[in-house]
Amino acid sequence: NPGYSASYIRTRTSSGPLTFTFTGVGFRVLAAKGPAYGKLKITIDGTPLTGYPDLYNATPLSKQTVYVKTGMTYANHTVTIDYSGYKNADSSGRTVNLDALDIYGTLLVAP
């Protein structure tokens, strides 16, 4: 689908973590948003985020920046993105997706 980065998107409706390792100072997560999407679970270097990036939007949107982490110490970092099972009260579903990752550094282990 040309609406997604490189024409691909990966979706989950149950747990199935995606893990990547990079050397650098940050990253950005792009995803589609829509009326049936839930919330992502992101863990950085073994520590889960306090909140969950919300993929809900009343109308479908593609290539949306849903999370940005910058200012990290220049080092090796491991990030896991997963299905959380949570959703916005207005959402009709809990599906999560990943469209693209922008790495501020060098990708060591691809998802």
Side-chain angles (χ1 to χ4, degrees):
N1 181 323
Y4 305 120
S5 301
S7 300
Y8 293 97
I9 192 166
R10 179 75 74 168
T11 62
R12 290 279 184 199
T13 55
S14 64
S15 187
L18 176 141
T19 301
F20 65 97
T21 302
F22 70 100
T23 300
V25 296
F27 64 97
R28 178 172 74 131
V29 178
L30 286 86
K33 290 185 162 194
Y37 285 125
K39 297 182 178 187
L40 289 172
K41 178 181 177 183
I42 298 178
T43 302
I44 303 170
D45 295 330
T47 303
L49 294 183
T50 302
Y52 299 94
D54 193 351
L55 305 185
Y56 170 79
N57 197 69
T59 57
L61 299 170
S62 61
K63 298 180 184 176
Q64 299 298 295
T65 297
V66 297
Y67 183 77
V68 177
K69 177 69 175 178
T70 59
M72 300 170 78
T73 302
Y74 185 84
N76 289 353
H77 299 283
T78 300
V79 177
T80 300
I81 301 173
D82 201 356
Y83 173 83
S84 73
Y86 296 113
K87 70 178 190 78
N88 182 304
D90 293 330
S91 180
S92 63
R94 291 178 169 81
T95 299
V96 296
N97 68 80
L98 177 66
D99 180 16
L101 299 168
D102 285 336
I103 306 299
Y104 309 131
T106 303
L107 184 63
L108 300 175
V109 178

